[in-house]
Amino acid sequence: MNAFVYAQSINMSEEKFQVRGEICHWDYNKKAAVVLTFDDWTPGQYPLVVPTLKQFKMVATFFPLTSNIEKTDIGWKAAQATAKNGNELGNHTLTHPDITKLTDETLEKEVMEPVSQIEKIVPNNAVISFAYPYGAGADDQHSIEFLRSKGFVGARSVWGMSDYSYNFAKEDEDYYKIHCYGMNESTKNSQFNAEVESVIKGGGLLTFLYHSVDDDLNSYHDSWYAQVKLDSLKEQLRFLKKHQDEVWVTTFGNAILYHREANCAKLRVQERDGFIEAKLTITNLEFRDLVPQTLMVPLTIKIYTDKKWSSVEQNGMSIPIDKQTDTYVQFRAIPNGGEIVLKQN
Ligand SMILES: [Zn+2]
């Protein structure tokens, strides 16, 4: 029998004999996702944070006020350079209003003007993430519906109780109510570390929120608010680096996209003589309407097999094998990206 077997994030101990494939919870089968977000485009973010992230080979999400980008001498060139390093530029409105208090016309301008500015000047950066100024809107149905109708895949609120379990988004709208851990001058590195350790245990998503990053003694003074010293930020990145086998440090948009895709993708696997065929498809039509195919991020999948495979292709293109053991082969594939074929020779 070559019956297709459906599998999605299945508990292996219970379904040991039926499972042929599994969609991993996070990229490269890491245990948890951590996102660093930097709000408002405070003066230290470009000169200090961007090169530091590059030095640590990490990426983050910046939620600039586009009006603040335009106030600096370097202007949009800094935004372009930030995105070029793999960081995400999200949307935090034009001038930081409470979006629940705006007329429809002003809401449209405050949210959509930054989208067209960013996408025009930084064309490879799709604006799909939103951060509510003051956190206002995360509990407002009208704001959430507005963001969804404009193609945002998720939105970040402010400091609040976070659910670090993998099942943090029980409803679609929960993706538009993501809480974060706020960093400021009094945050100790031990607190940062404890949050990271908690999310590793929980298996979910941890989002940090930073504002000013300051290095007044050595290089650049960012006096705005909630100052985190550059040396502290570096310690925090070092801690993440130490846990890089367990933690996927990524952008807000990538983490949300991965989680949303994995939650509605189906993996079907069929083994024949000498090869395996697999299909990774998104069956949720609302999600298909929200996210264009070009924005889909790859999902890490495991196929349980005791045979050795020499190549994996998707849609005729070779894709790298991340890991191969006596019991499974692991690689990344794009949902709805065409048929996956594993070959032995
Ligand atoms: Zn802000």
Side-chain angles (χ1 to χ4, degrees):
M1 284 276 293
N2 280 329
F4 280 106
V5 178
Y6 289 80
Q8 185 199 2
S9 309
I10 286 174
N11 181 332
M12 281 303 293
S13 58
E14 283 171 20
E15 310 251 354
K16 204 159 147 185
F17 301 105
Q18 296 160 41
V19 172
R20 301 222 39 87
E22 181 184 5
I23 298 168
C24 296
H25 278 179
W26 294 113
D27 205 27
Y28 291 105
N29 199 26
K30 293 188 185 189
K31 287 184 185 157
V34 171
V35 172
L36 309 178
T37 62
F38 295 86
D39 279 27
D40 301 347
W41 204 246
T42 74
Q45 290 180 4
Y46 179 65
L48 299 177
V49 180
V50 171
T52 304
L53 288 167
K54 193 177 179 192
Q55 183 194 333
F56 280 84
K57 298 193 174 68
M58 284 181 185
V59 292
T61 294
F62 291 81
F63 286 114
L65 297 177
T66 50
S67 56
N68 281 348
I69 294 179
E70 288 172 350
K71 277 178 204 154
T72 59
D73 291 341
I74 183 173
W76 283 95
K77 282 206 179 86
Q80 288 170 323
T82 301
K84 206 176 158 208
N85 292 351
N87 299 302
E88 174 185 29
L89 299 175
N91 189 325
H92 195 40
T93 74
L94 204 54
T95 66
H96 216 273
D98 173 342
I99 64 163
T100 62
K101 300 209 164 82
L102 303 177
T103 62
D104 287 352
E105 199 186 333
T106 320
L107 178 63
E108 176 85 21
K109 182 178 156 70
E110 280 285 348
V111 177
M112 297 315 288
E113 211 168 287
V115 173
S116 28
Q117 286 174 311
I118 295 172
E119 292 188 345
K120 187 174 151 215
I121 301 171
V122 195
N124 293 322
N125 183 102
V127 182
I128 56 170
S129 305
F130 185 81
Y132 303 96
Y134 319 105
D139 50 8
D140 173 53
Q141 209 56 38
H142 179 70
S143 302
I144 292 174
E145 281 312 318
F146 174 79
L147 293 173
R148 196 178 0 222
S149 74
K150 298 296 181 184
F152 290 94
V153 301
R156 203 215 63 217
S157 180
V158 286
W159 201 338
M161 278 294 289
S162 287
D163 175 358
Y164 289 156
S165 75
Y166 190 69
N167 193 23
F168 62 85
K170 289 163 191 75
E171 316 273 345
D172 183 81
E173 65 177 49
D174 291 336
Y175 289 110
Y176 300 86
K177 300 176 174 182
I178 304 289
H179 282 290
C180 58
Y181 190 91
M183 303 293 288
N184 59 42
E185 48 277 271
S186 60
T187 315
K188 297 192 168 57
N189 286 334
S190 58
Q191 292 172 291
F192 177 95
N193 298 355
E195 294 303 307
V196 173
E197 280 160 358
S198 297
V199 80
I200 292 172
K201 279 202 198 86
L205 168 67
L206 162 58
T207 306
F208 285 106
L209 161 59
Y210 294 80
H211 289 96
S212 287
V213 174
D214 179 58
D215 190 26
D216 55 343
L217 294 180
N218 304 303
S219 57
Y220 194 91
H221 184 38
D222 178 345
S223 64
W224 280 23
Y225 34 77
Q227 280 177 15
V228 170
K229 293 289 175 198
L230 181 63
D231 284 344
S232 297
L233 176 68
K234 285 183 178 174
E235 273 308 308
Q236 292 149 13
L237 297 181
R238 259 180 227 114
F239 188 79
L240 290 173
K241 203 93 210 167
K242 205 172 94 189
H243 291 278
Q244 62 184 351
D245 292 342
E246 298 163 295
V247 173
W248 181 31
V249 181
T250 186
T251 62
F252 188 79
N254 279 347
I256 298 295
L257 277 173
Y258 189 106
H259 196 272
R260 294 191 71 152
E261 287 172 22
N263 257 340
C264 66
K266 291 265 185 293
L267 176 64
R268 295 179 292 165
V269 184
Q270 189 175 38
E271 187 164 352
R272 299 176 191 275
D273 288 338
F275 63 98
I276 286 176
E277 285 171 353
K279 288 192 173 81
L280 182 65
T281 46
I282 301 279
T283 52
N284 180 328
L285 291 179
E286 280 174 31
F287 187 76
R288 294 286 303 141
D289 283 347
L290 180 71
V291 179
Q293 183 63 31
T294 48
L295 287 183
M296 294 268 181
V297 298
L299 297 178
T300 298
I301 62 182
K302 275 177 164 184
I303 291 177
Y304 290 89
T305 167
D306 54 8
K307 301 189 184 86
K308 287 287 165 221
W309 301 91
S310 56
S311 71
V312 183
E313 285 178 2
Q314 183 174 28
N315 205 21
M317 309 273 279
S318 173
I319 50 179
I321 294 174
D322 299 332
K323 208 169 177 187
Q324 190 155 200
T325 73
D326 292 342
T327 54
Y328 69 87
V329 55
Q330 178 183 310
F331 54 90
R332 295 157 94 226
I334 306 267
N336 292 2
E339 187 151 61
I340 299 159
V341 183
L342 282 72
K343 291 178 186 158
Q344 287 186 302
N345 287 301

